[in-house]
């Protein structure tokens, strides 16, 4: 049940090359992945004119949707805050669509129209990293996951008012249930989601994480922890092994460096929400280059452990391109030379 990630990103789906040697796989860094135009935000008039849609359906269909919603992990995250009456409203608002084999249910780059739950059939998900919009003649890109009964897809564009991040194609005839974009936004998107959105916008500003797509940022923001530090408290100590990457949410923090046994001197003062430090711990095993202390009023930090980062982003770590991150070039080169990064672990991200 659900979506299974596809393992070898290095093999091209559009030809027989298995080692990434196909031109279709080469990333053109001159093309911006994120488009300037995003899908429409929900307007005030949409909100005031909106009425819960009701699409009559059989008891079997209602029961099937209830079962999928209660057993799919992603749907639990998306719908977990809804009570049972609200879940029933969502179920009544869903409408069926029968799909033939090889139908594109979602095209990368298009605005989001519906969110989909899979009743039957199988669906492949492709991401073309060289294009924002994939037209009919463009390669679909790498197959990143496949879905079957019980899975869902198409939430990203609706949650973030962004173009579709992937193309979804049916590989056999099947049936999906749709929830239209306005209903999804009115019934499902909440403050809890917007908190996650805030985390994601922080992550977007970290150069090392810039190349991640929305899906990957969403997955990473799921593993963010929040930690409070008292005034003056040690957050990390120079020379220690680094296990966490931190983003400042509120308050302030100071990085201090001591050289050759001399007293510590201030190297950096983190004062703005979104300021970050300790990111090298995600890539390298070298010791902390500075100590960081919470400021006089303490601070609240978002943190991601190295272990969780590897768990979520291990499969794509090799994609971190030296050219894109001159500041980290040495570290990335050294890490890529390590044998364990030559292999790609299976992604734990599931739909
Ligand atoms: P959407 O609204 O952007 C395409 O429309 C959907 O494909 C997307 O929402 C997700 O529901 C689904 N990257 C992007 N979209 C994905 C991914 C994905 N997997 C499923 N979808 N990745 C695969 C991770 C295993 C990241 C690949 C780089």
């Amino acid at each position: 049940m659900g979506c299974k990630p596809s393992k070898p990103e290095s093999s091209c789906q559009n030809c027989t090359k298995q080692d990434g040697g196909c031109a279709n796989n080469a990333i053109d860094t001159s093309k911006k992945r994120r488009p300037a135009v995003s899908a429409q935000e929900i307007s005030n008039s949409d909100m005031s004119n909106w009425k819960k849609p009701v699409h009559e359906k059989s008891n079997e269909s209602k029961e099937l949707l209830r079962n999928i919603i209660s057993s799919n992990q992603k749907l639990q995250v998306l719908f977990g805050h809804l009570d049972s009456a609200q879940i029933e409203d969502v179920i009544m608002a869903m409408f069926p669509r029968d799909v033939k084999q090889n139908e594109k249910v979602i095209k990368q780059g298009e605005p989001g129209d519906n969110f989909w739950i899979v009743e039957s059939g199988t669906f492949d998900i492709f991401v073309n990293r060289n294009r924002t919009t994939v037209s009919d003649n463009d390669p679909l890109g790498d197959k990143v996951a496949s879905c079957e009964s019980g899975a869902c897809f198409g939430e990203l564009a609706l949650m973030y008012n962004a173009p579709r991040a992937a193309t979804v194609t049916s590989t056999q005839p099947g049936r999906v249930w749709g929830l239209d974009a306005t209903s999804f936004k009115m019934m499902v998107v909440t403050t809890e989601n917007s908190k996650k959105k805030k985390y994601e916008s922080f992550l977007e500003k970290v150069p090392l994480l810039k190349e991640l797509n929305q899906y990957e940022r969403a997955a990473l923001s799921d593993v963010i922890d929040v930690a409070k530090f008292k005034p003056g408290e040690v957050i990390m100590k120079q020379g220690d092994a680094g296990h966490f990457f931190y983003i400042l949410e509120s308050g302030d923090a100071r990085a201090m460096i001591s050289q050759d046994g001399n007293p510590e001197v201030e190297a950096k003062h983190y004062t703005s929400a979104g300021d970050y430090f300790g990111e090298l711990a995600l890539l390298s095993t070298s010791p902390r280059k500075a100590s960081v202390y919470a400021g006089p009023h303490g601070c609240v930090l978002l943190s991601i452990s190295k272990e969780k980062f590897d768990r979520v982003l291990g499969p794509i770590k090799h994609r971190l391109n030296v050219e894109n991150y001159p500041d980290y070039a040495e570290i990335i080169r050294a890490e890529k030379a390590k044998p364990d990064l030559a292999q790609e672990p299976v992604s734990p991200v599931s739909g």
Side-chain angles (χ1 to χ4, degrees):
M1 209 188 220
C3 272
K4 286 195 194 68
S6 292
K7 238 195 304 178
E9 271 199 16
S10 54
S11 65
C12 175
Q13 301 302 313
N14 303 299
C15 67
T16 51
K17 294 205 171 159
Q18 294 295 309
D19 57 0
C22 169
N24 289 337
N25 279 352
I27 292 185
D28 178 355
T29 46
S30 67
K31 287 194 191 80
K32 271 194 104 192
R33 279 180 46 219
R34 222 140 303 293
V37 184
S38 68
Q40 286 264 293
E41 295 251 6
I42 187 164
S43 70
N44 285 343
S45 83
D46 282 345
M47 272 196 234
S48 45
N49 294 331
W50 180 79
K51 281 197 192 68
K52 283 179 220 163
V54 176
H55 296 280
E56 286 307 333
K57 45 185 71 68
S58 68
N59 286 339
E60 288 77 41
S61 295
K62 288 186 214 165
E63 190 54 21
L64 175 111
L65 289 169
R66 254 179 237 124
N67 285 340
I68 294 179
I69 291 169
S70 63
S71 53
N72 176 308
Q73 226 187 327
K74 184 150 101 188
L75 283 164
Q76 278 302 297
V77 174
L78 284 171
F79 293 2
H81 58 288
L82 303 180
D83 63 28
S84 49
Q86 290 168 319
I87 298 269
E88 288 307 304
D89 287 344
V90 169
I91 289 173
M92 288 318 291
M94 299 198 87
F95 60 91
R97 170 170 161 192
D98 291 317
V99 289
K100 301 190 190 80
Q101 188 174 11
N102 291 331
E103 230 179 274
K104 282 185 191 140
V105 182
I106 286 181
K107 287 186 187 167
Q108 184 176 336
E110 291 196 342
D113 49 0
N114 299 297
F115 167 69
W116 298 105
I117 289 181
V118 180
E119 173 177 335
S120 61
T122 51
F123 298 82
D124 283 346
I125 301 183
F126 297 90
V127 174
N128 184 332
R129 292 187 169 276
N130 307 327
R131 300 261 187 286
T132 47
T133 301
V134 177
S135 63
D136 285 341
N137 298 330
D138 289 329
L140 295 181
D142 294 324
K143 180 172 146 188
V144 295
S146 42
C147 295
E148 55 189 30
S149 168
C152 63
F153 51 76
E155 75 291 359
L156 292 180
L158 310 185
M159 287 184 71
Y160 303 102
N161 297 306
R164 295 295 198 186
T167 299
V168 183
T169 314
S170 56
T171 51
Q172 45 173 262
R175 175 175 250 216
V176 288
W177 290 87
L179 181 66
D180 71 273
T182 309
S183 301
F184 182 89
K185 289 174 195 178
M186 296 296 286
M187 298 167 110
V188 179
V189 180
T190 61
T191 38
E192 197 38 45
N193 292 333
S194 18
K195 203 160 127 197
K196 209 173 111 162
K197 251 166 130 173
K198 182 167 110 191
Y199 292 174
E200 284 167 35
S201 69
F202 282 158
L203 295 178
E204 205 169 15
K205 288 186 205 127
V206 180
L208 195 60
L209 307 178
K210 268 222 165 94
E211 283 297 304
L212 302 185
N213 80 7
Q214 232 151 24
Y215 191 95
E216 292 155 344
R217 263 197 299 276
L220 204 53
S221 75
D222 277 341
V223 298
I224 279 182
D225 289 312
V226 181
K228 274 189 178 170
F229 288 85
K230 296 194 193 94
E233 197 177 346
V234 180
I235 299 163
M236 63 178 68
K237 199 87 194 110
Q238 185 174 344
D240 283 356
H243 297 293
F244 291 91
F245 158 60
Y246 294 101
I247 301 170
L248 184 70
E249 187 172 30
S250 61
D252 70 319
R254 279 172 207 277
M256 310 286 288
I257 295 184
S258 152
Q259 269 170 339
D260 308 322
N262 291 319
E264 288 183 325
V265 289
E266 184 174 311
K268 196 132 192 171
H269 190 188
Y270 304 104
T271 52
S272 310
D275 282 352
Y276 59 90
F277 50 89
E279 74 278 21
L280 296 188
L282 302 181
L283 282 188
S284 125
T285 45
S286 59
R288 296 290 199 195
K289 294 189 172 45
S291 299
V292 181
Y293 304 93
H297 304 291
C299 61
V300 179
L301 300 178
L302 308 176
S303 75
I304 300 175
S305 74
K306 191 184 173 84
E307 180 237 318
K308 285 182 181 166
F309 181 83
D310 284 348
R311 182 148 54 76
V312 174
L313 293 185
I316 54 106
K317 236 171 139 180
H318 65 283
R319 257 192 8 232
L320 298 176
N321 248 334
V322 173
E323 303 79 55
N324 294 346
Y325 313 103
D327 294 354
Y328 304 115
E330 276 313 308
I331 293 162
I332 294 174
R333 262 191 219 105
E335 286 297 309
K336 278 186 174 171
K338 287 186 182 168
D340 62 322
L341 267 185
Q343 294 160 9
E344 289 162 25
V346 181
S347 168
V349 181
S350 71

